[in-house]
PDB file of all heavy atoms in Angstrom:
ATOM      1  N   VAL A 143     -92.371  74.284-137.822  1.00 86.00           N
ATOM      2  CA  VAL A 143     -92.018  74.824-136.523  1.00 86.00           C
ATOM      3  C   VAL A 143     -93.185  75.317-135.792  1.00 86.00           C
ATOM      4  O   VAL A 143     -94.056  75.958-136.354  1.00 86.00           O
ATOM      5  CB  VAL A 143     -90.991  75.966-136.836  1.00 86.00           C
ATOM      6  CG1 VAL A 143     -90.542  76.684-135.552  1.00 86.00           C
ATOM      7  CG2 VAL A 143     -89.721  75.485-137.557  1.00 86.00           C
ATOM      8  N   ALA A 144     -93.178  75.043-134.469  1.00 82.00           N
ATOM      9  CA  ALA A 144     -94.279  75.581-133.624  1.00 82.00           C
ATOM     10  C   ALA A 144     -93.621  75.969-132.248  1.00 82.00           C
ATOM     11  O   ALA A 144     -92.786  75.268-131.764  1.00 82.00           O
ATOM     12  CB  ALA A 144     -95.374  74.542-133.445  1.00 82.00           C
ATOM     13  N   ASN A 145     -93.950  77.174-131.760  1.00 83.00           N
ATOM     14  CA  ASN A 145     -93.434  77.643-130.592  1.00 83.00           C
ATOM     15  C   ASN A 145     -91.835  77.677-130.618  1.00 83.00           C
ATOM     16  O   ASN A 145     -91.229  77.236-129.677  1.00 83.00           O
ATOM     17  CB  ASN A 145     -93.863  76.876-129.284  1.00 83.00           C
ATOM     18  CG  ASN A 145     -95.411  76.911-129.162  1.00 83.00           C
ATOM     19  OD1 ASN A 145     -96.005  77.924-129.308  1.00 83.00           O
ATOM     20  ND2 ASN A 145     -95.956  75.794-128.816  1.00 83.00           N
ATOM     21  N   ARG A 146     -91.320  78.062-131.748  1.00 82.00           N
ATOM     22  CA  ARG A 146     -89.902  78.208-131.914  1.00 82.00           C
ATOM     23  C   ARG A 146     -89.127  76.994-131.794  1.00 82.00           C
ATOM     24  O   ARG A 146     -87.942  76.936-131.332  1.00 82.00           O
ATOM     25  CB  ARG A 146     -89.342  79.325-131.051  1.00 82.00           C
ATOM     26  CG  ARG A 146     -89.968  80.663-131.229  1.00 82.00           C
ATOM     27  CD  ARG A 146     -89.716  81.608-130.024  1.00 82.00           C
ATOM     28  NE  ARG A 146     -88.250  81.959-129.892  1.00 82.00           N
ATOM     29  CZ  ARG A 146     -87.704  82.951-130.463  1.00 82.00           C
ATOM     30  NH1 ARG A 146     -88.408  83.823-131.209  1.00 82.00           N
ATOM     31  NH2 ARG A 146     -86.439  83.175-130.173  1.00 82.00           N
ATOM     32  N   THR A 147     -89.820  75.803-132.107  1.00 85.00           N
ATOM     33  CA  THR A 147     -89.236  74.523-131.955  1.00 85.00           C
ATOM     34  C   THR A 147     -89.592  73.725-133.162  1.00 85.00           C
ATOM     35  O   THR A 147     -90.648  73.696-133.689  1.00 85.00           O
ATOM     36  CB  THR A 147     -89.738  73.733-130.710  1.00 85.00           C
ATOM     37  OG1 THR A 147     -89.494  74.571-129.500  1.00 85.00           O
ATOM     38  CG2 THR A 147     -89.131  72.379-130.525  1.00 85.00           C
ATOM     39  N   PHE A 148     -88.559  72.909-133.644  1.00 85.00           N
ATOM     40  CA  PHE A 148     -88.794  72.069-134.859  1.00 85.00           C
ATOM     41  C   PHE A 148     -89.646  70.925-134.447  1.00 85.00           C
ATOM     42  O   PHE A 148     -89.440  70.190-133.514  1.00 85.00           O
ATOM     43  CB  PHE A 148     -87.483  71.479-135.317  1.00 85.00           C
ATOM     44  CG  PHE A 148     -87.646  70.576-136.490  1.00 85.00           C
ATOM     45  CD1 PHE A 148     -88.003  70.909-137.660  1.00 85.00           C
ATOM     46  CD2 PHE A 148     -87.242  69.198-136.257  1.00 85.00           C
ATOM     47  CE1 PHE A 148     -88.081  70.035-138.750  1.00 85.00           C
ATOM     48  CE2 PHE A 148     -87.307  68.281-137.282  1.00 85.00           C
ATOM     49  CZ  PHE A 148     -87.769  68.680-138.541  1.00 85.00           C
ATOM     50  N   MET A 149     -90.749  70.774-135.216  1.00 86.00           N
ATOM     51  CA  MET A 149     -91.782  69.725-134.939  1.00 86.00           C
ATOM     52  C   MET A 149     -91.848  68.640-135.897  1.00 86.00           C
ATOM     53  O   MET A 149     -92.780  67.815-135.857  1.00 86.00           O
ATOM     54  CB  MET A 149     -93.192  70.560-134.848  1.00 86.00           C
ATOM     55  CG  MET A 149     -93.256  71.631-133.870  1.00 86.00           C
ATOM     56  SD  MET A 149     -92.883  71.076-132.171  1.00 86.00           S
ATOM     57  CE  MET A 149     -94.314  70.043-131.860  1.00 86.00           C
ATOM     58  N   GLY A 150     -90.913  68.583-136.803  1.00 83.00           N
ATOM     59  CA  GLY A 150     -90.914  67.586-137.856  1.00 83.00           C
ATOM     60  C   GLY A 150     -90.124  66.313-137.417  1.00 83.00           C
ATOM     61  O   GLY A 150     -89.766  66.145-136.240  1.00 83.00           O
ATOM     62  N   GLY A 151     -89.920  65.484-138.299  1.00 85.00           N
ATOM     63  CA  GLY A 151     -89.119  64.256-138.051  1.00 85.00           C
ATOM     64  C   GLY A 151     -87.691  64.322-138.516  1.00 85.00           C
ATOM     65  O   GLY A 151     -87.390  65.234-139.327  1.00 85.00           O
ATOM     66  N   TYR A 152     -86.901  63.434-138.093  1.00 86.00           N
ATOM     67  CA  TYR A 152     -85.448  63.383-138.507  1.00 86.00           C
ATOM     68  C   TYR A 152     -85.207  63.074-140.026  1.00 86.00           C
ATOM     69  O   TYR A 152     -84.095  63.330-140.497  1.00 86.00           O
ATOM     70  CB  TYR A 152     -84.713  62.435-137.644  1.00 86.00           C
ATOM     71  CG  TYR A 152     -84.521  62.871-136.192  1.00 86.00           C
ATOM     72  CD1 TYR A 152     -85.105  62.235-135.149  1.00 86.00           C
ATOM     73  CD2 TYR A 152     -83.785  64.029-135.878  1.00 86.00           C
ATOM     74  CE1 TYR A 152     -84.922  62.639-133.862  1.00 86.00           C
ATOM     75  CE2 TYR A 152     -83.684  64.514-134.605  1.00 86.00           C
ATOM     76  CZ  TYR A 152     -84.262  63.760-133.566  1.00 86.00           C
ATOM     77  OH  TYR A 152     -84.106  64.205-132.203  1.00 86.00           O
ATOM     78  N   PHE A 153     -86.314  62.551-140.657  1.00 90.00           N
ATOM     79  CA  PHE A 153     -86.139  62.174-142.061  1.00 90.00           C
ATOM     80  C   PHE A 153     -86.988  63.021-143.028  1.00 90.00           C
ATOM     81  O   PHE A 153     -87.297  62.539-144.138  1.00 90.00           O
ATOM     82  CB  PHE A 153     -86.363  60.644-142.211  1.00 90.00           C
ATOM     83  CG  PHE A 153     -85.324  59.761-141.592  1.00 90.00           C
ATOM     84  CD1 PHE A 153     -85.430  59.281-140.283  1.00 90.00           C
ATOM     85  CD2 PHE A 153     -84.128  59.477-142.362  1.00 90.00           C
ATOM     86  CE1 PHE A 153     -84.423  58.566-139.789  1.00 90.00           C
ATOM     87  CE2 PHE A 153     -83.173  58.660-141.797  1.00 90.00           C
ATOM     88  CZ  PHE A 153     -83.325  58.162-140.515  1.00 90.00           C
ATOM     89  N   ASP A 154     -87.425  64.106-142.551  1.00 88.00           N
ATOM     90  CA  ASP A 154     -88.237  65.067-143.374  1.00 88.00           C
ATOM     91  C   ASP A 154     -87.443  65.466-144.643  1.00 88.00           C
ATOM     92  O   ASP A 154     -88.036  65.695-145.661  1.00 88.00           O
ATOM     93  CB  ASP A 154     -88.662  66.265-142.644  1.00 88.00           C
ATOM     94  CG  ASP A 154     -89.755  65.992-141.717  1.00 88.00           C
ATOM     95  OD1 ASP A 154     -90.232  64.798-141.568  1.00 88.00           O
ATOM     96  OD2 ASP A 154     -90.249  66.954-141.010  1.00 88.00           O
ATOM     97  N   TRP A 155     -86.136  65.479-144.513  1.00 91.00           N
ATOM     98  CA  TRP A 155     -85.219  65.915-145.651  1.00 91.00           C
ATOM     99  C   TRP A 155     -85.311  64.776-146.677  1.00 91.00           C
ATOM    100  O   TRP A 155     -84.860  65.077-147.944  1.00 91.00           O
ATOM    101  CB  TRP A 155     -83.874  66.199-145.222  1.00 91.00           C
ATOM    102  CG  TRP A 155     -83.276  65.073-144.416  1.00 91.00           C
ATOM    103  CD1 TRP A 155     -83.338  64.848-143.105  1.00 91.00           C
ATOM    104  CD2 TRP A 155     -82.538  63.939-144.970  1.00 91.00           C
ATOM    105  NE1 TRP A 155     -82.704  63.683-142.774  1.00 91.00           N
ATOM    106  CE2 TRP A 155     -82.162  63.118-143.884  1.00 91.00           C
ATOM    107  CE3 TRP A 155     -82.121  63.637-146.313  1.00 91.00           C
ATOM    108  CZ2 TRP A 155     -81.441  61.919-144.035  1.00 91.00           C
ATOM    109  CZ3 TRP A 155     -81.362  62.439-146.409  1.00 91.00           C
ATOM    110  CH2 TRP A 155     -81.060  61.633-145.342  1.00 91.00           C
ATOM    111  N   PHE A 156     -85.589  63.591-146.334  1.00 92.00           N
ATOM    112  CA  PHE A 156     -85.487  62.398-147.267  1.00 92.00           C
ATOM    113  C   PHE A 156     -86.823  62.401-148.106  1.00 92.00           C
ATOM    114  O   PHE A 156     -87.612  61.628-147.834  1.00 92.00           O
ATOM    115  CB  PHE A 156     -85.397  61.169-146.489  1.00 92.00           C
ATOM    116  CG  PHE A 156     -84.834  60.018-147.365  1.00 92.00           C
ATOM    117  CD1 PHE A 156     -83.583  59.940-147.788  1.00 92.00           C
ATOM    118  CD2 PHE A 156     -85.753  59.002-147.817  1.00 92.00           C
ATOM    119  CE1 PHE A 156     -83.174  58.867-148.627  1.00 92.00           C
ATOM    120  CE2 PHE A 156     -85.336  58.002-148.583  1.00 92.00           C
ATOM    121  CZ  PHE A 156     -83.982  57.952-149.048  1.00 92.00           C
ATOM    122  N   ALA A 157     -86.880  63.428-149.005  1.00 92.00           N
ATOM    123  CA  ALA A 157     -88.053  63.602-149.805  1.00 92.00           C
ATOM    124  C   ALA A 157     -87.644  63.836-151.290  1.00 92.00           C
ATOM    125  O   ALA A 157     -86.492  64.175-151.498  1.00 92.00           O
ATOM    126  CB  ALA A 157     -88.995  64.733-149.302  1.00 92.00           C
TER     127      ALA A 157
END
Side-chain angles (χ1 to χ4, degrees):
V143 176
N145 298 321
R146 299 163 66 91
T147 303
F148 176 66
M149 302 301 293
Y152 288 114
F153 290 93
D154 285 0
W155 55 271
F156 196 77

